[in-house]
Amino acid sequence: EIVLTQSPATLSLSPGERATLSCRASQSVSSSLAWFQQKPGLAPRLLIYEASNRATGIPARFSGSGSGTDFTLTISSLEPEDFAVYYCQQRSNWPLTFGGGTKVEIK
Amino acid sequence: QVQLVQSGAEVKKPGASVRVSCKASGFPFSSYGFSWLRQAPGQGPEWMGWISAYTGDTYYAQNFQDRFTMTTDTSTSTAYMELRSLRSDDTAVYYCAREVVRWNLIARAGSDPWGQGTLVTVSS
């Protein structure tokens, strides 16, 4: 199965700053990668699919890039509601797998 | 609006079975598939399997193949999962999520939306 490694584990930033989250796959997943945001006590929410496509209703400050084994989620200017845990998921190979998550916390 | 509403929390003893439902509304049920996922306390999500509400085709993660079953009822727009022979490490929040209707399209889409989650606690 494909292993996804997310870094850093924790990102401490202030509102208004730029956040850059990384997801690396153990083998190529082409562009078949999704990003999710999860807040405490809530279900994950789809942000990005197919590496760079924003899901319906997702603000433009969220962007995804990459292909093959290296992917990035960028939040251009952090809003207070963006402090959460972010997961990547590969959808190229069965079984679908998730990374371990990056927590974006307020500095 | 598009919504998935899951059944309520369950407490089960080791060795028992649990069935969780996921009622869909706001979209044509048979035009989609559904993934089931779980999240143990403090962990990331884990994908368990996918089912097409149109064809009934299923894909199961190998970890669950022997004791996990997914079904759909198009008459009530409801997806179901059943996990048998429960162990303490099955304690988790279980989620359903809407997916594409055919497995060969799954790489180009995302799981959206998710249900609110169902806490399953396995304890003697």
Side-chain angles (χ1 to χ4, degrees):
Chain A
E1 89 180 28
I2 294 176
V3 175
L4 299 179
T5 303
Q6 291 189 241
S7 61
T10 304
L11 200 50
S12 299
L13 295 168
S14 301
E17 290 194 294
R18 182 184 189 89
T20 303
L21 288 65
S22 174
C23 177
R24 176 164 289 179
S26 59
Q27 65 188 75
S28 177
V29 298
S30 186
S31 296
S32 303
L33 191 103
W35 289 95
F36 296 87
Q37 176 194 66
Q38 187 174 30
K39 297 179 181 178
L42 297 180
R45 177 176 72 144
L46 178 68
L47 299 175
I48 301 287
Y49 65 95
E50 214 174 5
S52 61
N53 296 309
R54 271 190 302 278
T56 303
I58 301 304
R61 64 181 181 273
F62 291 93
S63 63
S65 63
S67 65
T69 60
D70 290 302
F71 299 86
T72 301
L73 175 69
T74 302
I75 310 171
S76 59
S77 177
L78 283 163
E79 297 287 339
E81 62 267 28
D82 299 336
F83 291 93
V85 179
Y86 293 83
Y87 295 100
C88 57
Q89 180 200 39
Q90 69 81 19
R91 302 171 64 88
S92 172
N93 285 27
W94 171 94
L96 309 187
T97 52
F98 287 84
T102 290
K103 181 179 182 180
V104 179
E105 65 176 23
I106 299 176
K107 187 174 181 180
Chain B
Q1 75 277 26
V2 174
Q3 199 172 8
L4 300 176
V5 178
Q6 298 182 220
S7 49
E10 303 266 10
V11 180
K12 297 291 183 181
K13 293 194 182 303
S17 299
V18 68
R19 190 187 197 210
V20 177
S21 67
C22 170
K23 184 166 177 61
S25 61
F27 62 94
F29 182 77
S30 297
S31 296
Y32 289 87
F34 297 88
S35 277
W36 286 93
L37 311 99
R38 72 180 187 180
Q39 189 169 28
Q43 303 298 312
E46 178 181 21
W47 179 78
M48 301 175 69
W50 168 92
I51 182 168
S52 170
Y54 181 66
T55 63
D57 290 346
T58 55
Y59 280 79
Y60 291 93
Q62 188 150 17
N63 287 351
F64 303 99
Q65 258 173 349
D66 295 335
R67 59 190 186 100
F68 176 55
T69 302
M70 298 174 290
T71 57
T72 59
D73 182 345
T74 55
S75 69
T76 59
S77 299
T78 303
Y80 296 92
M81 62 139 276
E82 182 182 48
L83 189 61
R84 299 174 292 279
S85 303
L86 290 167
R87 309 184 291 250
S88 57
D89 62 358
D90 290 318
T91 294
V93 176
Y94 288 76
Y95 294 101
C96 60
R98 191 181 68 167
E99 296 280 8
V100 290
V101 71
R102 297 193 189 278
W103 180 256
N104 62 1
L105 300 175
I106 207 156
R108 302 190 64 185
S111 313
D112 183 43
W114 294 45
Q116 84 278 17
T118 297
L119 176 62
V120 175
T121 303
V122 183
S123 174
S124 55

